[in-house]
């Protein structure tokens, strides 16, 4: 039997801050959001137009950039609205469901994608001669599709567990977007079972992905130590270090927020900024734009644009 909810509109409290900081925060987050979109669009463009970047590694990076664009879009615009006016804090019941669903689709897909990318680096460094055959185009497409399907399934579980309850009383969500933990606190029912299921569900997924990533990098480190040339060791280490930085920026805040059932402090909203706002911006900077191959592709694209503009000038 489906429970009936009497709440038709929720109100987001936004980030905890002094009212005088509304305008500065709006400007900061707007700039970050625009840079995130431009940075990830640039990565997608470079990978699309440069044939040297048509490799499994950059195929997965393109998926990551696509996810990050929408991951940021799922939360930041609504956060900006909460900073502009009190009316911007309102979100309809069904819009809240949609935001929660798409947020978790993108977040869990990114979590799975980080695991796939670690596996890809493991194969590239540990089995360089067999890498091309082991990571074929079909395999890449299958792995990428699996991350999206797994993310969609995981999100459907989170959304169903959250919104099958009745919401008939308070409607103020202590967060800047619709997420399961703060919404469950508003339910007109005992949510302990829901919180525990979500805790276990996210715990198993996040912990499982993190363990697989750690195992991949332990094997990668062992393989790097066997590389004879210092140049080869340095190149492999730089690629892996960039991946590790981004993974930590994503996983640590997630663990802090979701693996604490019953937490009621407002710190979670501030911590969430790291993986919803900053990580999508860091990915193109740390993981790709620092890469020498991407830098070369960027220079080639710049030269092409300059050349085409020179031809058009009479």
């Amino acid at each position: 039997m489906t429970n009936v909810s009497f709440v038709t509109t929720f109100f987001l409290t936004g980030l905890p801050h002094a009212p005088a900081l509304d305008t500065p925060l709006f400007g900061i987050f707007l700039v970050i959001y625009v840079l995130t979109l431009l940075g990830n669009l640039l990565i997608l463009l470079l990978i699309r137009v440069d044939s040297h970047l048509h490799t499994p590694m950059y195929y997965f990076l393109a998926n990551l950039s696509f996810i990050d664009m929408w991951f940021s879009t799922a939360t930041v615009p609504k956060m900006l609205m909460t900073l502009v006016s009190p009316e911007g804090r309102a979100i309809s019941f069904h819009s809240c469901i949609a935001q929660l669903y798409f947020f978790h689709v993108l977040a869990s897909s990114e979590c799975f994608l980080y695991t796939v990318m670690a596996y890809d680096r493991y194969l590239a460094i540990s089995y360089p001669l067999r890498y091309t055959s082991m990571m074929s185009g079909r395999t890449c497409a299958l792995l990428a599709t699996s991350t999206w399907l797994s993310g969609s399934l995981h999100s459907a579980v989170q959304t169903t567990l959250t919104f099958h309850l009745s919401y008939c009383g308070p409607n103020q969500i202590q967060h800047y977007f619709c997420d399961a933990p703060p919404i469950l606190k508003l339910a007109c029912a005992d949510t302990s079972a829901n919180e525990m299921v979500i805790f276990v569900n996210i715990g198993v997924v996040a912990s499982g992905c993190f363990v697989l990533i750690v195992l991949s990098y332990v094997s990668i480190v062992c393989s790097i130590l066997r590389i004879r040339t210092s140049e080869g060791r340095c190149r492999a280490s730089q690629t892996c270090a960039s991946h590790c930085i981004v993974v930590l920026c994503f996983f640590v805040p997630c663990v802090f927020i979701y693996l604490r059932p019953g937490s009621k402090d407002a710190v979670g909203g501030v911590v969430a900024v790291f993986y919803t706002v900053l990580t999508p911006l860091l990915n193109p900077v740390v993981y790709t734009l620092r890469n020498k191959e991407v830098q070369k592709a960027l220079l080639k694209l710049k030269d092409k644009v300059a050349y085409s503009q020179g031809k058009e000038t009479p």
Side-chain angles (χ1 to χ4, degrees):
M1 179 178 178
T2 303
N3 289 325
V4 178
S5 293
F6 300 100
V7 172
T8 58
T9 304
F10 288 110
F11 290 90
L12 301 165
T13 60
L15 283 172
H17 67 281
L21 295 177
D22 279 352
T23 302
L25 286 176
F26 177 85
I28 291 170
F29 286 122
L30 179 61
V31 170
I32 291 175
Y33 179 57
V34 172
L35 290 177
T36 299
L37 294 183
L38 292 177
N40 284 292
L41 278 172
L42 179 60
I43 296 304
L44 288 171
L45 177 63
L46 289 175
I47 294 174
R48 173 71 177 175
V49 301
D50 196 306
S51 59
H52 293 94
L53 302 183
H54 293 176
T55 64
M57 174 181 172
Y58 293 104
Y59 175 80
F60 294 128
L61 285 175
N63 275 268
L64 181 63
S65 290
F66 182 80
I67 289 176
D68 279 336
M69 286 171 52
W70 291 106
F71 190 40
S72 184
T73 300
T75 56
V76 177
K78 189 59 185 177
M79 181 211 291
L80 295 175
M81 291 173 66
T82 65
L83 294 169
V84 172
S85 67
E87 291 78 13
R89 299 175 183 270
I91 183 169
S92 69
F93 187 85
H94 292 97
S95 295
C96 193
I97 294 175
Q99 187 180 45
L100 175 65
Y101 176 75
F102 286 111
F103 171 77
H104 277 282
V105 166
L106 296 163
S108 50
S109 295
E110 184 155 340
C111 176
F112 293 127
L113 185 59
Y114 282 134
T115 310
V116 169
M117 292 169 74
Y119 175 66
D120 171 65
R121 290 300 83 203
Y122 161 71
L123 292 181
I125 295 172
S126 301
Y127 303 97
L129 299 179
R130 297 167 53 197
Y131 174 66
T132 304
S133 60
M134 295 174 73
M135 192 60 72
S136 63
R138 181 179 179 182
T139 303
C140 290
L142 182 62
L143 289 171
T145 303
S146 298
T147 64
W148 284 97
L149 292 176
S150 301
S152 300
L153 178 61
H154 181 258
S155 181
V157 172
Q158 302 300 323
T159 307
T160 302
L161 286 173
T162 302
F163 286 103
H164 87 284
L165 299 171
S166 294
Y167 294 88
C168 54
N171 62 348
Q172 187 165 293
I173 299 173
Q174 298 292 327
H175 211 345
Y176 61 87
F177 67 94
C178 290
D179 199 7
I183 292 174
L184 285 176
K185 294 171 187 174
L186 307 180
C188 303
D190 179 19
T191 62
S192 56
N194 296 71
E195 290 176 351
M196 187 53 62
V197 171
I198 290 176
F199 171 80
V200 172
N201 188 18
I202 292 181
V204 168
V205 171
S207 301
C209 289
F210 191 73
V211 167
L212 290 174
I213 291 172
V214 169
L215 290 175
S216 295
Y217 277 96
V218 168
S219 301
I220 287 171
V221 169
C222 293
S223 298
I224 289 175
L225 294 176
R226 291 196 295 266
I227 297 176
R228 296 182 178 181
T229 64
S230 58
E231 183 182 350
R233 287 196 299 269
C234 182
R235 184 177 178 182
S237 299
Q238 286 180 345
T239 302
C240 296
S242 298
H243 190 190
C244 289
I245 290 170
V246 175
V247 165
L248 289 174
C249 288
F250 181 84
F251 276 95
V252 172
C254 287
V255 169
F256 181 85
I257 292 170
Y258 294 105
L259 302 190
R260 302 177 305 150
S263 174
K264 295 183 178 180
D265 58 87
V267 180
V270 178
V271 174
V273 171
F274 282 92
Y275 74 96
T276 60
V277 180
L278 297 181
T279 300
L281 175 64
L282 284 175
N283 280 343
V285 176
V286 173
Y287 207 0
T288 38
L289 293 180
R290 288 178 67 249
N291 187 293
K292 290 183 179 180
E293 292 179 343
V294 175
Q295 291 174 358
K296 290 178 182 178
L298 187 59
L299 289 173
K300 286 169 61 178
L301 180 63
K302 180 182 176 182
D303 292 340
K304 285 182 180 178
V305 172
Y307 178 73
S308 61
Q309 287 178 344
K311 287 184 66 176
E312 292 175 0
T313 303

